[in-house]
Short mmCIF file of all heavy atoms in Angstrom, two decimals:
data_model
loop_
_atom_site.label_atom_id
_atom_site.label_comp_id
_atom_site.label_asym_id
_atom_site.label_seq_id
_atom_site.Cartn_x
_atom_site.Cartn_y
_atom_site.Cartn_z
N ILE A 1 121.43 150.97 92.74
CA ILE A 1 120.52 150.24 91.85
C ILE A 1 120.56 148.74 92.09
O ILE A 1 119.55 148.08 92.24
CB ILE A 1 120.96 150.46 90.35
CG1 ILE A 1 120.72 151.94 89.95
CG2 ILE A 1 120.11 149.56 89.40
CD1 ILE A 1 121.27 152.29 88.57
N PHE A 2 121.81 148.13 92.30
CA PHE A 2 121.99 146.75 92.45
C PHE A 2 121.19 146.21 93.73
O PHE A 2 120.50 145.17 93.61
CB PHE A 2 123.45 146.38 92.61
CG PHE A 2 123.77 144.89 92.68
CD1 PHE A 2 124.08 144.21 91.52
CD2 PHE A 2 123.76 144.27 93.85
CE1 PHE A 2 124.37 142.85 91.51
CE2 PHE A 2 123.97 142.91 93.93
CZ PHE A 2 124.32 142.19 92.74
N LYS A 3 121.28 146.99 94.80
CA LYS A 3 120.72 146.50 96.03
C LYS A 3 119.12 146.53 96.04
O LYS A 3 118.51 145.98 96.94
CB LYS A 3 121.23 147.26 97.21
CG LYS A 3 120.87 148.69 97.39
CD LYS A 3 121.65 149.36 98.50
CE LYS A 3 121.24 150.77 98.73
NZ LYS A 3 122.11 151.46 99.79
N ARG A 4 118.54 147.11 94.93
CA ARG A 4 117.13 147.13 94.79
C ARG A 4 116.67 146.10 93.66
O ARG A 4 115.49 146.25 93.14
CB ARG A 4 116.64 148.59 94.50
CG ARG A 4 116.85 149.50 95.67
CD ARG A 4 116.47 150.89 95.44
NE ARG A 4 116.50 151.70 96.61
CZ ARG A 4 117.54 152.36 97.06
NH1 ARG A 4 118.73 152.28 96.43
NH2 ARG A 4 117.51 153.07 98.19
N ASN A 5 117.58 145.25 93.37
CA ASN A 5 117.25 143.99 92.56
C ASN A 5 116.59 144.34 91.14
O ASN A 5 115.47 143.92 90.83
CB ASN A 5 116.22 143.10 93.37
CG ASN A 5 116.19 141.68 92.82
OD1 ASN A 5 117.23 141.20 92.31
ND2 ASN A 5 115.08 141.09 92.92
N PRO A 6 117.42 145.07 90.25
CA PRO A 6 116.85 145.38 88.94
C PRO A 6 116.76 144.15 88.09
O PRO A 6 117.39 143.13 88.28
CB PRO A 6 117.93 146.36 88.47
CG PRO A 6 119.17 145.91 89.13
CD PRO A 6 118.79 145.53 90.49
N LYS A 7 115.92 144.21 87.06
CA LYS A 7 115.77 143.19 86.08
C LYS A 7 117.05 143.09 85.27
O LYS A 7 117.41 141.87 84.75
CB LYS A 7 114.57 143.45 85.17
CG LYS A 7 113.22 143.32 85.81
CD LYS A 7 112.14 143.74 84.94
CE LYS A 7 112.00 142.78 83.70
NZ LYS A 7 110.82 143.21 82.83
N LYS A 8 117.64 144.16 84.98
CA LYS A 8 118.85 144.17 84.15
C LYS A 8 119.75 145.36 84.59
O LYS A 8 119.23 146.47 84.78
CB LYS A 8 118.49 144.28 82.69
CG LYS A 8 119.61 144.35 81.67
CD LYS A 8 118.95 144.41 80.30
CE LYS A 8 119.97 144.53 79.17
NZ LYS A 8 119.25 144.56 77.90
N LEU A 9 121.04 145.12 84.77
CA LEU A 9 121.99 146.16 85.11
C LEU A 9 123.29 145.93 84.41
O LEU A 9 124.07 145.01 84.66
CB LEU A 9 122.23 146.17 86.60
CG LEU A 9 123.23 147.17 87.20
CD1 LEU A 9 122.90 148.63 86.75
CD2 LEU A 9 123.35 147.06 88.70
N HIS A 10 123.55 146.73 83.43
CA HIS A 10 124.77 146.70 82.58
C HIS A 10 125.67 147.89 82.90
O HIS A 10 125.13 149.02 82.93
CB HIS A 10 124.47 146.66 81.09
CG HIS A 10 123.99 145.32 80.59
ND1 HIS A 10 123.61 145.08 79.31
CD2 HIS A 10 123.73 144.18 81.34
CE1 HIS A 10 123.18 143.83 79.19
NE2 HIS A 10 123.22 143.26 80.45
N ILE A 11 126.92 147.67 83.14
CA ILE A 11 127.86 148.74 83.54
C ILE A 11 128.94 148.87 82.42
O ILE A 11 129.57 147.85 82.09
CB ILE A 11 128.49 148.42 84.95
CG1 ILE A 11 127.55 147.96 85.92
CG2 ILE A 11 129.32 149.64 85.29
CD1 ILE A 11 126.40 148.93 86.26
N VAL A 12 129.15 150.08 81.94
CA VAL A 12 130.21 150.43 81.03
C VAL A 12 131.14 151.32 81.64
O VAL A 12 130.74 152.39 82.19
CB VAL A 12 129.64 150.90 79.74
CG1 VAL A 12 130.73 151.40 78.80
CG2 VAL A 12 128.73 149.91 79.01
N ASP A 13 132.41 151.03 81.53
CA ASP A 13 133.47 152.00 81.98
C ASP A 13 134.73 151.75 81.21
O ASP A 13 135.06 150.59 80.79
CB ASP A 13 133.71 151.86 83.47
CG ASP A 13 134.42 153.05 84.04
OD1 ASP A 13 135.71 153.11 83.91
OD2 ASP A 13 133.77 153.95 84.61
N ILE A 14 135.56 152.71 81.01
CA ILE A 14 136.81 152.61 80.27
C ILE A 14 137.90 151.92 81.10
O ILE A 14 138.82 151.38 80.56
CB ILE A 14 137.28 154.00 79.86
CG1 ILE A 14 138.29 153.87 78.67
CG2 ILE A 14 137.81 154.82 80.97
CD1 ILE A 14 138.67 155.17 78.02
N SER A 15 137.66 151.92 82.39
CA SER A 15 138.77 151.35 83.33
C SER A 15 138.43 149.87 83.62
O SER A 15 137.54 149.56 84.37
CB SER A 15 138.82 152.16 84.62
OG SER A 15 139.68 151.46 85.55
N GLU A 16 139.16 148.93 83.08
CA GLU A 16 139.07 147.57 83.35
C GLU A 16 139.33 147.24 84.81
O GLU A 16 138.61 146.46 85.44
CB GLU A 16 140.03 146.71 82.44
CG GLU A 16 139.95 145.23 82.59
CD GLU A 16 140.97 144.49 81.73
OE1 GLU A 16 141.99 145.11 81.47
OE2 GLU A 16 140.81 143.38 81.37
N ASN A 17 140.35 147.83 85.34
CA ASN A 17 140.66 147.58 86.81
C ASN A 17 139.60 148.09 87.73
O ASN A 17 139.26 147.37 88.72
CB ASN A 17 141.97 148.30 87.12
CG ASN A 17 143.18 147.71 86.50
OD1 ASN A 17 143.19 146.51 86.04
ND2 ASN A 17 144.24 148.50 86.34
N ASN A 18 138.97 149.23 87.53
CA ASN A 18 137.88 149.71 88.33
C ASN A 18 136.69 148.85 88.23
O ASN A 18 135.97 148.58 89.27
CB ASN A 18 137.56 151.14 88.01
CG ASN A 18 138.64 152.13 88.54
OD1 ASN A 18 139.68 151.74 89.12
ND2 ASN A 18 138.34 153.44 88.31
N LEU A 19 136.41 148.39 87.05
CA LEU A 19 135.22 147.46 86.94
C LEU A 19 135.48 146.15 87.75
O LEU A 19 134.55 145.64 88.36
CB LEU A 19 135.01 147.12 85.44
CG LEU A 19 134.35 148.14 84.55
CD1 LEU A 19 134.32 147.71 83.14
CD2 LEU A 19 132.91 148.32 85.02
N THR A 20 136.67 145.66 87.62
CA THR A 20 136.97 144.43 88.41
C THR A 20 136.75 144.64 89.88
O THR A 20 136.17 143.80 90.61
CB THR A 20 138.43 144.00 88.14
OG1 THR A 20 138.60 143.75 86.78
CG2 THR A 20 138.80 142.73 88.95
N GLU A 21 137.21 145.76 90.41
CA GLU A 21 137.10 146.01 91.84
C GLU A 21 135.63 146.33 92.12
O GLU A 21 135.07 145.88 93.22
CB GLU A 21 137.90 147.27 92.26
CG GLU A 21 137.76 147.68 93.75
CD GLU A 21 137.91 146.57 94.71
OE1 GLU A 21 138.83 145.69 94.42
OE2 GLU A 21 137.38 146.66 95.80
N LEU A 22 134.82 146.93 91.28
CA LEU A 22 133.45 147.12 91.49
C LEU A 22 132.69 145.85 91.69
O LEU A 22 131.88 145.71 92.59
CB LEU A 22 132.81 147.93 90.32
CG LEU A 22 131.31 148.06 90.28
CD1 LEU A 22 130.83 148.79 91.50
CD2 LEU A 22 130.84 148.72 88.97
N VAL A 23 132.99 144.86 90.79
CA VAL A 23 132.33 143.54 90.92
C VAL A 23 132.66 142.87 92.22
O VAL A 23 131.82 142.30 92.92
CB VAL A 23 132.64 142.65 89.72
CG1 VAL A 23 132.10 141.26 89.92
CG2 VAL A 23 132.08 143.30 88.42
N ARG A 24 133.98 142.88 92.55
CA ARG A 24 134.37 142.30 93.79
C ARG A 24 133.67 142.95 94.95
O ARG A 24 133.19 142.24 96.01
CB ARG A 24 135.87 142.51 94.02
CG ARG A 24 136.71 141.59 93.06
CD ARG A 24 138.23 142.00 93.11
NE ARG A 24 139.02 141.14 92.29
CZ ARG A 24 140.28 141.48 91.84
NH1 ARG A 24 140.77 142.68 92.20
NH2 ARG A 24 140.97 140.69 91.16
N ASP A 25 133.56 144.28 94.95
CA ASP A 25 132.92 145.00 96.01
C ASP A 25 131.44 144.65 96.12
O ASP A 25 130.90 144.38 97.30
CB ASP A 25 133.03 146.52 95.71
CG ASP A 25 132.60 147.42 96.93
OD1 ASP A 25 132.30 146.85 97.97
OD2 ASP A 25 132.56 148.67 96.69
N ILE A 26 130.85 144.61 95.04
CA ILE A 26 129.27 144.27 95.05
C ILE A 26 129.14 142.83 95.53
O ILE A 26 128.18 142.59 96.32
CB ILE A 26 128.75 144.49 93.65
CG1 ILE A 26 128.56 145.97 93.36
CG2 ILE A 26 127.41 143.75 93.41
CD1 ILE A 26 128.05 146.31 91.97
N ARG A 27 129.88 141.89 94.99
CA ARG A 27 129.72 140.50 95.40
C ARG A 27 129.94 140.36 96.92
O ARG A 27 129.28 139.57 97.56
CB ARG A 27 130.71 139.58 94.65
CG ARG A 27 130.45 139.51 93.13
CD ARG A 27 129.04 139.02 92.83
NE ARG A 27 128.85 138.78 91.40
CZ ARG A 27 127.75 138.98 90.74
NH1 ARG A 27 126.68 139.41 91.41
NH2 ARG A 27 127.66 138.73 89.46
N SER A 28 130.92 141.06 97.44
CA SER A 28 131.35 140.98 98.87
C SER A 28 130.27 141.64 99.74
O SER A 28 129.95 141.16 100.90
CB SER A 28 132.66 141.62 99.10
OG SER A 28 133.72 141.02 98.38
N SER A 29 129.55 142.70 99.26
CA SER A 29 128.62 143.36 100.10
C SER A 29 127.17 142.91 99.87
O SER A 29 126.40 142.83 100.85
CB SER A 29 128.71 144.87 99.77
OG SER A 29 129.97 145.44 100.13
N TYR A 30 126.81 142.63 98.65
CA TYR A 30 125.37 142.44 98.31
C TYR A 30 125.11 141.06 97.72
O TYR A 30 123.98 140.62 97.67
CB TYR A 30 124.87 143.45 97.37
CG TYR A 30 125.09 144.91 97.77
CD1 TYR A 30 126.03 145.70 97.18
CD2 TYR A 30 124.42 145.45 98.92
CE1 TYR A 30 126.27 147.02 97.58
CE2 TYR A 30 124.62 146.71 99.37
CZ TYR A 30 125.55 147.49 98.67
OH TYR A 30 125.81 148.81 99.11
N GLY A 31 126.08 140.36 97.29
CA GLY A 31 125.91 139.00 96.76
C GLY A 31 125.49 139.03 95.31
O GLY A 31 126.17 139.54 94.43
N TYR A 32 124.29 138.59 95.01
CA TYR A 32 123.83 138.33 93.61
C TYR A 32 122.42 138.76 93.53
O TYR A 32 121.58 138.93 94.50
CB TYR A 32 123.92 136.85 93.29
CG TYR A 32 125.36 136.35 93.40
CD1 TYR A 32 125.85 135.90 94.60
CD2 TYR A 32 126.16 136.30 92.31
CE1 TYR A 32 127.14 135.44 94.72
CE2 TYR A 32 127.50 135.81 92.37
CZ TYR A 32 127.96 135.41 93.59
OH TYR A 32 129.29 134.98 93.73
N ILE A 33 121.97 139.00 92.25
CA ILE A 33 120.55 139.37 91.95
C ILE A 33 120.11 138.41 90.93
O ILE A 33 120.91 137.71 90.20
CB ILE A 33 120.41 140.82 91.43
CG1 ILE A 33 121.30 141.07 90.17
CG2 ILE A 33 120.69 141.83 92.55
CD1 ILE A 33 121.06 142.37 89.54
N LYS A 34 118.77 138.25 90.75
CA LYS A 34 118.16 137.31 89.76
C LYS A 34 118.31 137.95 88.36
O LYS A 34 118.34 137.27 87.35
CB LYS A 34 116.71 137.10 90.06
CG LYS A 34 116.46 136.31 91.36
CD LYS A 34 114.98 136.14 91.60
CE LYS A 34 114.78 135.37 92.89
NZ LYS A 34 113.31 135.20 93.21
N GLY A 35 118.48 139.30 88.32
CA GLY A 35 118.47 139.96 86.99
C GLY A 35 119.85 139.78 86.29
O GLY A 35 120.79 139.22 86.83
N ASP A 36 119.89 140.31 85.07
CA ASP A 36 121.10 140.27 84.28
C ASP A 36 122.04 141.33 84.66
O ASP A 36 121.86 142.51 84.47
CB ASP A 36 120.59 140.49 82.78
CG ASP A 36 121.76 140.51 81.81
OD1 ASP A 36 122.86 140.03 82.16
OD2 ASP A 36 121.60 141.00 80.68
N PHE A 37 123.20 140.94 85.24
CA PHE A 37 124.24 141.89 85.67
C PHE A 37 125.47 141.61 84.92
O PHE A 37 126.08 140.52 84.98
CB PHE A 37 124.45 141.75 87.17
CG PHE A 37 125.62 142.59 87.68
CD1 PHE A 37 125.55 143.97 87.65
CD2 PHE A 37 126.72 141.99 88.27
CE1 PHE A 37 126.57 144.78 88.06
CE2 PHE A 37 127.78 142.80 88.73
CZ PHE A 37 127.69 144.20 88.69
N LYS A 38 125.94 142.62 84.16
CA LYS A 38 127.19 142.45 83.33
C LYS A 38 127.96 143.70 83.32
O LYS A 38 127.39 144.85 83.51
CB LYS A 38 126.84 142.09 81.85
CG LYS A 38 126.33 140.73 81.65
CD LYS A 38 126.19 140.44 80.13
CE LYS A 38 125.67 139.05 79.81
NZ LYS A 38 124.22 138.99 80.08
N THR A 39 129.30 143.63 83.15
CA THR A 39 130.14 144.83 83.04
C THR A 39 130.92 144.75 81.68
O THR A 39 131.18 143.63 81.18
CB THR A 39 131.20 144.88 84.16
OG1 THR A 39 132.04 143.81 84.08
CG2 THR A 39 130.47 145.00 85.50
N PHE A 40 131.17 145.93 81.12
CA PHE A 40 131.90 146.02 79.80
C PHE A 40 132.97 147.06 79.93
O PHE A 40 132.68 148.22 80.27
CB PHE A 40 130.89 146.38 78.70
CG PHE A 40 129.74 145.42 78.57
CD1 PHE A 40 128.53 145.67 79.34
CD2 PHE A 40 129.79 144.33 77.72
CE1 PHE A 40 127.51 144.78 79.20
CE2 PHE A 40 128.70 143.48 77.63
CZ PHE A 40 127.55 143.63 78.35
N ALA A 41 134.21 146.67 79.63
CA ALA A 41 135.35 147.65 79.67
C ALA A 41 135.47 148.26 78.29
O ALA A 41 136.27 147.83 77.51
CB ALA A 41 136.62 146.94 80.06
N LEU A 42 134.65 149.37 78.13
CA LEU A 42 134.62 149.96 76.80
C LEU A 42 134.69 151.53 76.94
O LEU A 42 134.25 152.11 77.92
CB LEU A 42 133.32 149.61 76.12
CG LEU A 42 133.02 148.14 75.80
CD1 LEU A 42 131.60 147.99 75.34
CD2 LEU A 42 134.07 147.58 74.79
N ASP A 43 135.18 152.13 75.86
CA ASP A 43 135.23 153.56 75.72
C ASP A 43 133.91 153.93 74.99
O ASP A 43 133.63 153.42 73.83
CB ASP A 43 136.35 154.00 74.93
CG ASP A 43 136.41 155.54 74.64
OD1 ASP A 43 135.41 156.20 74.89
OD2 ASP A 43 137.52 156.02 74.17
N ILE A 44 133.02 154.82 75.53
CA ILE A 44 131.76 155.03 74.93
C ILE A 44 131.82 155.81 73.66
O ILE A 44 130.89 155.88 72.92
CB ILE A 44 130.76 155.77 75.90
CG1 ILE A 44 131.29 157.11 76.28
CG2 ILE A 44 130.45 154.88 77.13
CD1 ILE A 44 130.25 157.95 77.03
N GLY A 45 133.02 156.34 73.31
CA GLY A 45 133.20 156.94 72.10
C GLY A 45 133.74 155.95 70.94
O GLY A 45 133.96 156.40 69.82
N SER A 46 133.77 154.72 71.33
CA SER A 46 134.36 153.71 70.42
C SER A 46 133.30 152.94 69.59
O SER A 46 132.08 152.90 69.92
CB SER A 46 135.15 152.69 71.19
OG SER A 46 134.28 151.87 71.97
#
């Protein structure tokens, strides 16, 4: 999704560590997008 430049991309996952690595990976491979990109370390049952 990210590499096709979405208007908004929000990521939710229970693992704070995996989210951190995901952002590092994306920044290192694809850089940035103009759209709203955010991550949230949350349990979807909460």
Side-chain angles (χ1 to χ4, degrees):
I1 296 171
F2 187 94
K3 67 187 184 183
R4 292 176 172 89
N5 199 31
K7 290 174 64 176
K8 178 178 179 180
L9 177 55
H10 287 180
I11 313 300
V12 173
D13 197 280
I14 197 170
S15 173
E16 181 184 28
N17 290 339
N18 284 5
L19 281 172
T20 300
E21 176 55 30
L22 171 63
V23 174
R24 289 170 177 159
D25 188 7
I26 284 176
R27 295 302 187 211
S28 300
S29 296
Y30 306 109
Y32 301 83
I33 57 173
K34 295 179 181 178
D36 176 19
F37 175 62
K38 291 187 177 75
T39 63
F40 304 88
L42 299 172
D43 179 348
I44 63 172
S46 68

